[in-house]
Amino acid sequence: MNPFFIIVGAGSAGIGMGILLKQLGIENFGILERDCIGSSFRQWPKEMRFITPSFVGQGFGALDLNAVSPTTSPAYTLQKERLSGEDYALYLDLLAEHFDLPIREGVNVEHVFLENGRFQLETNEGKYGCDAIIWATGEYQFPNTRPFPGAEYALHNRYVDSWRKFKKDCHYIIIGGYESGIDAAVNLVSLGNEVTVISKHQLFAQKEADPSVSLAPYTWERLREAQKTKRLHFIEGVEVEKIEKQKSTYTLFLSNNKQLHTKQQPILATGFRSGAEQIYSLFEWGENGKPKLTVNDESTLVNNLFLIGPSVAHEKAIFCFIYKFRQRFAVVAKQLVDRFQLPHDEEVFRYYEKNQMYLTDLSCCEVKCEC
């Protein structure tokens, strides 16, 4: 009996992995998606754009930063450099159709367990069995909405449809000074509002070159433009310890023993949890809130359970961007074809490696810039 694999999630990671399996000649797999293809991207605020630009450079050995397979480019397909969430969801839709990926939408995986050496996935549509799972649920669907007491009184940026729907000529407080916090701030400032960003880090003292741990150049550029308005303010090195609500006023209690009062609902930009939390007991967890993985991105507790996407991390190597985590698809695929002794086209792995989509040496992941 041929082994059967299931990919959970039809976002950038799930679609990219599905394409690789197809190109290897593996047909015995399925992709389960609880909503629709690229649903997380469709839920971005309308004004949000990728901080990584899309540009066609495959012919010169430079893959489009937002491509999930070596032979495709969102820039070429959509003729855009700065993609919105809707743009990228369209790109994923087109890939799924072009590569004829076996996707079932509207299937929510509710529970996973092992039975007689095989995985059983209980879903709203019944039970699915498989020999290996590739977990690709991402993070955007899992916002960190309870980082401190009273956080329920704030609005997480994950639930913002458009910043244009907010009241204008108001003062907004944003909790969190990383990418989503600054994106919220510059959008609200551009609409004529006053904004205060509370960041637990010293934002302007950042020296890291890796955008996984510091702001991207595109974000710095927008931030500087917003600062010119004199309506953008920062409180750095301070954490919000709790929020209280009294009638129409919100009070924020800060770690420096000060308080802030605002009539506008505070905005949480406190990031996201790992989508692997859905099957928490099947992973060992690190202090960074990420699952612990083998060098092949497999659960350290359960064989044949693999993780792909932005939650993949190995010590200092953080794979939270598409151009990073796409380099690990081939690592997982190689394990599957070797372990289950599957016939496949070995040339595909060489092609992925040639196009910087097959990273096995994790020691090379530190970003260093001299100037």
Side-chain angles (χ1 to χ4, degrees), residues 346-362:
E346 189 67 21
E347 182 61 32
V348 172
F349 285 122
R350 287 190 285 271
Y351 186 70
Y352 268 65
E353 186 173 19
K354 179 182 176 182
N355 284 275
Q356 294 83 49
M357 283 191 66
Y358 190 0
L359 176 68
T360 56
D361 181 9
L362 296 172

Side-chain angles (χ1 to χ4, degrees), residues 29-278:
F29 74 96
I31 302 175
L32 303 182
E33 166 57 50
R34 73 174 181 179
D35 192 353
C36 62
I37 295 169
S39 63
S40 290
F41 295 102
R42 299 178 197 277
Q43 294 169 38
W44 280 14
K46 294 292 187 294
E47 298 81 13
M48 185 179 285
R49 295 294 181 270
F50 271 66
I51 61 175
T52 47
S54 277
F55 206 86
V56 185
Q58 272 90 334
F60 294 88
L63 198 62
D64 186 319
L65 288 176
N66 299 309
V68 293
S69 73
T71 57
T72 71
S73 165
Y76 175 78
T77 300
L78 303 173
Q79 297 186 331
K80 289 184 176 182
E81 180 179 315
R82 292 292 172 182
L83 308 172
S84 68
E86 289 286 346
D87 291 333
Y88 201 74
L90 174 59
Y91 164 69
L92 295 179
D93 261 332
L94 293 171
L95 293 185
E97 181 179 359
H98 178 76
F99 289 97
D100 191 25
L101 297 181
I103 300 172
R104 289 193 65 86
E105 296 177 303
V107 180
N108 183 35
V109 177
E110 298 166 346
H111 182 53
V112 177
F113 61 95
L114 281 165
E115 184 177 81
N116 299 323
R118 298 187 86 229
F119 289 102
Q120 300 297 323
L121 290 77
E122 292 181 345
T123 78
N124 58 307
E125 204 182 58
K127 189 181 292 186
Y128 288 82
C130 66
D131 298 280
I133 296 176
I134 304 168
W135 201 262
T137 55
E139 296 183 346
Y140 195 75
Q141 303 276 8
F142 307 94
N144 180 19
T145 57
R146 295 291 186 271
F148 50 77
E152 66 271 16
Y153 295 122
L155 173 68
H156 198 283
N157 69 291
R158 154 72 176 81
Y159 300 107
V160 174
D161 176 58
S162 171
W163 298 108
R164 293 184 179 277
K165 294 183 178 181
F166 281 59
K167 290 181 180 179
K168 296 179 176 56
D169 300 317
C170 296
H171 179 214
Y172 291 95
I173 294 176
I174 297 172
I175 304 166
Y178 191 49
E179 293 292 348
S180 57
I182 302 304
D183 181 73
V186 298
N187 275 294
L188 288 170
V189 167
S190 71
L191 295 170
N193 298 292
E194 190 124 350
V195 174
T196 296
V197 176
I198 303 173
S199 172
K200 66 180 180 181
H201 303 295
Q202 294 291 338
L203 186 65
F204 293 93
Q206 292 179 0
K207 300 298 183 183
E208 295 284 348
D210 186 352
S212 294
V213 293
S214 63
L215 296 180
Y218 177 63
T219 306
W220 279 115
E221 181 182 2
R222 299 167 67 216
L223 189 157
R224 285 192 293 267
E225 287 299 310
Q227 283 182 298
K228 292 177 183 178
T229 67
K230 307 297 184 183
R231 296 195 303 273
L232 179 57
H233 317 284
F234 292 90
I235 300 175
E236 299 180 87
V238 173
E239 295 188 59
V240 175
E241 296 186 334
K242 69 175 179 177
I243 297 176
E244 291 184 354
K245 188 173 186 294
Q246 305 90 11
K247 294 184 179 179
S248 61
T249 301
Y250 301 87
T251 300
L252 285 71
F253 295 81
L254 309 183
S255 59
N256 60 1
N257 295 320
K258 294 184 179 180
Q259 297 179 14
L260 291 180
H261 306 277
T262 176
K263 292 188 177 298
Q264 305 303 322
Q265 186 176 23
I267 297 165
L268 277 183
T270 47
F272 304 87
R273 307 189 319 276
S274 170
E277 285 190 6
Q278 291 178 282

Side-chain angles (χ1 to χ4, degrees), residues 276-285 301:
E277 285 190 6
Q278 291 178 282
I279 48 173
Y280 189 91
S281 64
L282 301 183
F283 287 100
E284 192 178 2
W285 292 81
L301 297 180

Side-chain angles (χ1 to χ4, degrees), residues 286-306:
E287 294 180 1
N288 60 356
K290 305 282 188 182
K292 292 185 178 181
L293 303 170
T294 69
V295 293
N296 299 310
D297 295 349
E298 187 174 11
S299 168
T300 55
L301 297 180
V302 180
N303 291 337
N304 299 321
L305 171 60
F306 297 90

